[in-house]
Amino acid sequence: MARTESPAEAAPSPVTSVPLADLDESTIVARAQDGDPKAFEWLISAHQGGVYRLCFRMLDDRGHAEDIVQETFIAAWRGLPHLATVQAFVPWLYRTATNKCLDQLRQRKRRPVDPTAELDGTSMEVGGNPSSGEDPTRSPLLSSRGRSALADGGPVDPAEQIETQEQLRALAGLLQTVPPGPRACWLLREVHGFSYHEIAAIVQLPESTVRGRIARAKRVLAEGMSPWR
Amino acid sequence: MALNDDRFQEERPRLGCGRELDDLWASIDDPPTAHEQSCPDCRHARAALHHLASVTEAMRDADPQDPGLQPGDRVRNAIMMVARAEVRRGRRAPLRTTTLGTIDISEQALTALIRFAAGTLPGVHARRCTISTSGEGRRRPIAGEAVDVGDIRITLKVAVASSISIPATMVALRERVGTVVQAQTSITMAQIDIVVEDLYDV
């Protein structure tokens, strides 16, 4: 029979080991590589939100975004022992999630999820323009973002807050009109803060192509946001 | 070549005045240049990009705080269920034989104990730990097989604080790991190799 007690319980000691939260992230990745579930759970806490928001902004679908977060982290657990360097972990997560999102968007294009959208002549890609802000499938998430903008603001002019919410809603909607490739690059750069070099590694494209895609996305978004100035 | 030019245009959008949008964006926080003040294309694009930058910043700040933009608990639970079901316990080291059978410690539990012991020293963050025995040759270890407890050799990788004295800490670390493992499992390790692979606070 294998003894599986955690060392902290099995070995009461006058000295204590460094708690997980006080370790550097590279050490936590290394421990997860050795199969430590607690270290891995810490990494989930640290990164699931960012990966989820990337997937949600890519797919505009909460359920599909959650599925991809789940698949990405399960793949991470299985792939961790083979990861060459601990620094590669976070870019690897985003690369896996981005690829899964792009695959899903390609599948949607081939086989639209909602047949009535096709009959109405509205494709998946243009579903998020600002005029469709009243779309009942979208409004719960938008309104929840609106609430948090209000909650975070403190004593600020309510009119200004409403305007900010409207602008965030417009940007989120417009983002869905940007083609998936440029959308992924723009999100990774502008929202998740990766460098051009890192994004080139994540999407497996030359840095010049990444720059071009981000510039294309900015043009679509900046032009689309103009009416809100 | 015309085709390449078209592709270039497609990849790198330009304003009406011929300037690349990416260049304009790169200097968006600087004061407008003489050209930007006089060129209507640049002025319009600058204003639009400025506005986009401020809304993007608002999104970057607001999204992580938004409880509606976090995955549900079911996601973490599902991931951890798989992770726990697939915990790699590795080989087993028999510690003692009783009338009821043999008491083993798994490789995974032993490396966790070693990391715990290392972590009790200030300035040491224990990373990966591998266990080998001299008898196994080049053969890949098989999970679940028994190892020879009389010949356990470990390699422990650590990150250390930049302020510590590495040679003195390595002596103390080797002693601490050996003592704790001996006390908790009665295993006396044949060899303890320690690799300092990083400084964690620089």
Side-chain angles (χ1 to χ4, degrees), chain A residues 24 34 66 78 190 212 218, chain B residues 25 60 72 86 125 127 129:
Chain A
D24 60 295
D34 266 3
E66 285 187 335
R78 291 172 180 161
E190 299 296 325
K218 277 177 189 165
Chain B
W25 183 272
R60 198 164 48 228
E86 295 181 4
H125 287 181
R127 292 189 174 174
C129 180

Side-chain angles (χ1 to χ4, degrees), chain A residues 7-116:
Chain A
E9 291 161 15
S13 166
V15 284
T16 53
S17 201
V18 187
L20 206 55
D22 292 343
L23 293 173
D24 60 295
E25 182 163 326
S26 295
T27 294
I28 296 176
V29 174
R31 291 188 180 191
Q33 284 190 283
D34 266 3
D36 178 349
K38 284 201 173 80
F40 183 62
E41 193 163 16
W42 188 95
L43 293 172
I44 297 174
S45 301
H47 298 293
Q48 65 168 357
V51 174
Y52 173 77
R53 285 188 290 278
L54 172 73
C55 297
F56 176 71
R57 294 286 181 219
M58 283 301 292
L59 303 171
D60 198 25
D61 183 301
R62 194 181 160 83
H64 288 159
E66 285 187 335
D67 288 347
I68 290 185
V69 172
Q70 186 174 320
E71 289 168 19
T72 299
F73 277 94
I74 289 172
W77 175 250
R78 291 172 180 161
L80 263 167
H82 316 295
L83 195 70
T85 66
V86 287
Q87 289 79 12
F89 177 68
V90 173
W92 184 93
L93 274 184
Y94 279 84
R95 181 177 156 193
T96 305
T98 302
N99 283 338
K100 286 178 185 290
C101 287
L102 292 173
D103 283 349
Q104 182 151 128
L105 289 168
R106 271 191 287 271
Q107 280 171 19
R108 276 191 200 174
K109 211 169 178 178
R110 280 202 295 273
R111 194 178 54 222
V113 178
D114 178 6
T116 57

Side-chain angles (χ1 to χ4, degrees), chain B residues 86-155:
Chain B
E86 295 181 4
V87 164
R88 300 172 281 271
R89 300 208 186 281
R91 293 164 293 172
R92 59 194 171 82
L95 298 181
R96 181 182 292 179
T97 304
T98 69
T99 50
L100 297 172
T102 307
I103 297 171
D104 296 329
I105 185 169
S106 70
E107 198 171 356
Q108 191 236 359
L110 187 56
T111 56
L113 178 62
I114 291 164
R115 276 195 293 267
F116 166 79
T120 61
L121 279 183
V124 176
H125 287 181
R127 292 189 174 174
R128 300 197 79 170
C129 180
T130 49
I131 294 175
S132 61
T133 59
S134 60
E136 70 189 28
R138 285 164 175 254
R139 191 171 58 81
R140 196 185 168 88
I142 300 164
E145 74 175 340
V147 298
D148 175 7
V149 288
D151 185 31
I152 287 182
R153 293 148 194 266
I154 67 154
T155 303

Side-chain angles (χ1 to χ4, degrees), chain B residues 49-81:
Chain B
L49 284 177
H50 230 289
H51 178 61
L52 174 61
S54 73
V55 182
T56 303
E57 196 184 338
M59 178 184 267
R60 198 164 48 228
D61 293 344
D63 279 4
Q65 313 300 327
D66 186 344
L69 288 177
Q70 288 286 335
D73 287 343
R74 74 161 182 93
V75 176
R76 173 201 295 269
N77 294 342
I79 299 165
M80 286 312 295
M81 202 187 288

Side-chain angles (χ1 to χ4, degrees), chain B residues 4-20:
Chain B
N4 285 346
D5 287 345
D6 288 347
R7 285 186 57 180
F8 188 72
Q9 289 287 351
E10 159 75 13
E11 286 294 333
R12 308 282 285 256
R14 285 171 187 273
L15 299 169
C17 64
R19 197 157 168 225
E20 271 191 37

